[in-house]
Amino acid sequence: MAEDVLKPGPRNLITDVEGISVGNATDDKVETGVTVLRCDHAYVASADVRGGAPGTREIDVLSPENLVGRADAFVLTGGSVFGLAAADGAASALSVDGVGLKLSNKGPAIPIVPAAVLHDLANDGDKDWGETPPYRALGMEAARSAGAEFALGSIGAGRGAMAGLVKGGLGSASLMLESGVAVGALVAANPVGSVYMEDGETFHAWAYEIGDEFGGRKPPETRESAEPFPGESRLHMRFEAGANTTLAIVATNADLTNVETKRMAMMAHDGIARAIRPAHSPFDGDIVFAVATAKAELPSDPPPLRHGLVARIAAAASDCLTRAIARAVYEAAR
């Protein structure tokens, strides 16, 4: 692993991790959308919540002390509490395909579909939907459209997202390791904090950029301020509880356990903190899901070697998330 050469996969998307696909559904009239990550099988998964205002579904089922610890799909969605219905739509689409737990010979398949929402209800889209919010239909559409290629920026769960007072969006990135291990990240970036340095143009994530994936801009010569809300930046943040969040999924093809995926989710939060300032505030609902497809086998013995490999994979996933956040904002602005 020490000799790994870090480079993106062929798509520079989370779908470079074999065994997963991503679909987007967007309602431009409402200015909202849904993104669904589908798993080829019920893969080992976990979640870690760090934000102070989360909106989630089926998080506890992934906890290491509980029974299932696996997921068939994940939903990232706009719509705040209304957006949770997107998981109903995705679950229905998967169940029709026979995806999910089968507890007896009777009854439908029961998909495990954890979900997290961001708040995009304050934008200019038409929210006069009465008793039928669009999210269940969008969830079904996103699940059915999942594939290896998907767009970034103002699409899917990133359609109505904001990063401070600039456009947020949907982002993704990947890394391929020479050992055969792949990692990737998918994010809907809607944070209260800023993704930019004091010049308002250079991403905090600039040092992690590979090629010119988010514009190639280098930092200004002036030193970044130690003030957490430097200069005018505090005027460009939305200090409203529940109005902001960064929703992310990190993935690897390594055969991680449920406990190891939990550690990957925890470490991946560092990727948010490197790309957004401040991160994990009381106003954000930041959450990271982690999933392992088990296509690449890691050695079990000796334990210190395996622990080191897990740490290496999780660190790479964290770097992918840093890059994915910058790509989300960069692509939304294009």
Side-chain angles (χ1 to χ4, degrees):
M1 186 73 76
E3 297 180 354
D4 285 340
V5 175
L6 300 185
K7 58 184 180 181
R11 304 180 189 92
N12 198 16
L13 299 172
I14 194 171
T15 49
D16 287 324
V17 176
E18 183 185 358
I20 59 178
S21 55
V22 173
N24 288 315
T26 306
D27 188 323
D28 289 321
K29 179 181 178 182
V30 181
E31 295 188 20
T32 193
V34 174
T35 298
V36 173
L37 183 147
R38 289 188 62 162
C39 304
D40 285 357
H41 303 284
Y43 292 133
V44 171
S46 193
D48 190 64
V49 181
R50 298 287 174 93
T56 60
R57 161 182 157 149
E58 288 200 316
I59 301 299
D60 288 343
V61 74
L62 301 180
S63 295
E65 72 273 17
N66 291 333
L67 180 62
V68 178
R70 292 174 177 268
D72 296 294
F74 299 87
V75 172
L76 309 181
T77 176
S80 189
V81 66
F82 304 102
L84 289 173
D88 293 337
S92 294
L94 269 62
S95 182
V96 168
D97 291 344
V99 175
L101 297 171
K102 298 177 179 64
L103 302 182
S104 68
N105 292 328
K106 297 181 179 180
I110 306 169
I112 304 300
V113 186
V117 303
L118 59 82
H119 179 89
D120 58 4
L121 300 181
N123 62 34
D124 293 332
D126 181 6
K127 308 301 189 296
D128 188 20
W129 52 56
E131 296 181 351
T132 54
Y135 295 99
R136 189 177 191 280
L138 289 171
M140 295 182 71
E141 180 184 343
R144 288 170 173 161
S145 68
E149 299 285 352
F150 60 96
L152 303 180
S154 293
I155 193 168
R159 173 62 179 87
M162 299 289 289
L165 292 182
V166 303
K167 276 188 175 183
L170 189 75
S172 191
S174 68
L175 283 173
M176 309 298 290
L177 311 181
E178 283 187 350
S179 55
V181 172
V183 296
L186 176 70
V187 66
N190 185 60
V192 66
S194 176
V195 297
Y196 292 117
M197 297 176 69
E198 284 190 78
D199 64 354
E201 297 179 345
T202 306
F203 287 104
H204 287 301
W206 72 268
Y208 297 87
E209 185 175 20
I210 298 177
D212 292 330
E213 61 187 347
F214 42 87
R217 183 178 175 85
K218 303 306 179 187
E221 293 183 4
T222 55
R223 183 178 180 273
E224 181 80 327
S225 172
E227 162 63 46
F229 304 112
E232 296 292 316
S233 67
R234 74 195 72 188
L235 303 178
H236 301 284
M237 300 181 188
R238 298 168 297 154
F239 292 109
E240 269 185 273
N244 317 275
T245 196
T246 299
L247 311 177
I249 306 168
V250 292
T252 181
N253 64 346
D255 62 338
L256 303 188
T257 66
N258 185 251
V259 171
E260 290 166 344
T261 61
K262 175 72 173 183
R263 178 56 54 184
M264 183 166 71
M266 293 170 68
M267 289 180 64
H269 272 283
D270 291 346
I272 297 177
R274 286 194 296 259
I276 299 165
R277 191 177 185 211
H280 307 135
S281 79
F283 305 97
D284 290 290
D286 299 339
I287 181 170
V288 176
F289 296 106
V291 60
T293 69
K295 306 291 185 180
E297 185 176 354
L298 300 183
S300 298
D301 294 310
L305 172 60
R306 183 176 179 91
H307 296 332
L309 294 176
V310 171
R312 181 77 171 103
I313 291 165
S318 177
D319 292 347
C320 284
L321 183 48
T322 297
R323 294 163 48 222
I325 291 168
R327 289 192 82 194
V329 177
Y330 175 73
E331 293 293 340
R334 298 182 71 179

